[in-house]
Amino acid sequence: MKVAIIGSGTMGSGIAQVASTSGCIVKLFDLNQNALTISENALETTLSKLVEKEKIDASEKFRIQSNIFYVNNLKELADSDIVIEAIVENLEVKRKLFSDLEALVSEKAILASNTSSLSIASIAASCQKPERVIGIHFFNPAPLMQLVEVIPAVQTSEEVLHKSVQIITDWRKVVAVGKDTPGFIVNRVARPFYSESLRIYDEGVADFATIDWALKIIGGFRMGPFELMDMIGHDVNYIVTETVFTAFYFDPKFKPSFTQKRLLEAGFLGRKSGRGFYDYTKELPKPTEDLVVAKSIFDRVIVMLINEAADTLFLNIASAKDIDNATTKGVNYPKGLLAWADELGINWCVEKLDELYHEYHEDRYRCSPILRRMATSNKTFF
């Protein structure tokens, strides 16, 4: 199979490595020749480390590298079977690219976007044959992260959806098929991990370090929300939150926090700038290790995560299996959220959400109808 990747940044280069490792002939395109050189050198470093660790041998390294061609002329992509763009998250830029690509490649070629939150339907509408456009969203770093969201637009044909799922499966990734809604599966379901933690901080319940500690010690999360947001970067994480909030017609459950917005405005982007929620030029603060407070923090965050996962199922955005795969394989949660709901008890989830709603009288704490129905009928997700 001939694969074209548009954009040789971290994501594009990672996708190219995945495809080439699976035996595809890959053309990695970028207008910037220096960016292509950086990508090629980075792959050499990555593969050399894998050889040193005996994960692959020298012949495998040579095979993977030989499958990738670095090009800066768009016309060289004309014979591609599938094109995946991984460029700037700007809708008009993507629409222009897809219009140009359609005139270049064959009518049978699949045109895919790696966007994490933009409308696939809107991108597809820029093409004369929108039925061959689809979302194929990898997670960073693409070679390591198991999950890939496959997002058909309303225009996408069943054939293109089937082929896309098969391609990604052949690349040894776990596929989660989701509806073309803001944030797709992961960036929608994961929002409360950040937003409810920020709300807890804004209320003065606990500081950043204590909230991070609570979710790791009680919930078993690999990273706390503030550590994770600092690692992702507020120029990315906050913008996704704001985009999802706006796209859902300002639904209060997706409301961003001024605390994070002010960090973005100040240029405190997280680890990349040396300062975010934490100041990385100094010794990091210690948490207040109170297990009672930690349990209350965990309960509040986990029930909001479960509620969003349940609502995602209720609105037919994805199947229960794909939702739980998305959270375990896409954001490395210790358990699938719907399986977690079964473990904690559906009745407990409903009671906790009702408790929050009665305390705050805010729509963000409304219980998903599917949870209430399941509690009444004593059903579980799995």
Side-chain angles (χ1 to χ4, degrees), residues 79-207:
D79 62 347
S80 303
D81 298 308
I82 182 171
V83 182
I84 303 175
E85 68 80 13
I87 61 172
V88 63
E89 284 286 89
N90 180 294
L91 181 58
E92 291 310 312
V93 172
K94 290 183 189 291
R95 283 169 57 89
K96 173 65 167 60
L97 173 63
F98 273 69
S99 180
D100 291 343
L101 286 170
E102 186 176 40
L104 180 67
V105 299
S106 75
E107 290 189 359
K108 293 183 179 180
I110 295 172
L111 301 180
S113 174
N114 185 61
T115 181
S116 60
S117 58
L118 296 177
S119 164
I120 305 301
S122 184
I123 295 171
S126 66
C127 295
Q128 296 297 315
K129 288 177 64 64
E131 63 271 16
R132 57 152 157 191
V133 176
I134 195 166
I136 298 180
H137 177 222
F138 287 79
F139 290 80
N140 196 26
L144 298 180
M145 298 301 288
Q146 290 181 281
L147 185 79
V148 177
E149 293 178 320
V150 174
I151 311 295
V154 292
Q155 306 100 310
T156 306
S157 71
E158 285 294 323
E159 181 184 7
V160 166
L161 173 58
H162 176 76
K163 284 183 177 178
S164 299
V165 169
Q166 190 59 57
I167 289 168
I168 301 305
T169 302
D170 289 344
W171 292 358
R172 298 180 182 177
K173 295 294 183 182
V174 175
V175 173
V177 177
K179 192 181 289 185
D180 184 17
T181 55
F184 308 143
I185 307 171
V186 170
N187 278 321
R188 175 189 179 135
V189 172
R191 300 273 44 94
F193 188 64
Y194 313 116
S195 62
E196 197 58 25
S197 299
L198 279 159
R199 178 65 180 264
I200 291 167
Y201 168 80
D202 287 338
E203 290 177 11
V205 174
D207 58 20

Side-chain angles (χ1 to χ4, degrees), residues 2-3 7 70 83 94 115 119 174 258 263 268 276 313 368 382:
K2 296 179 179 179
V3 178
Y70 299 84
V83 182
K94 290 183 189 291
T115 181
S119 164
V174 175
F258 281 115
L263 289 178
F268 297 158
L313 178 64
S368 175
F382 296 104

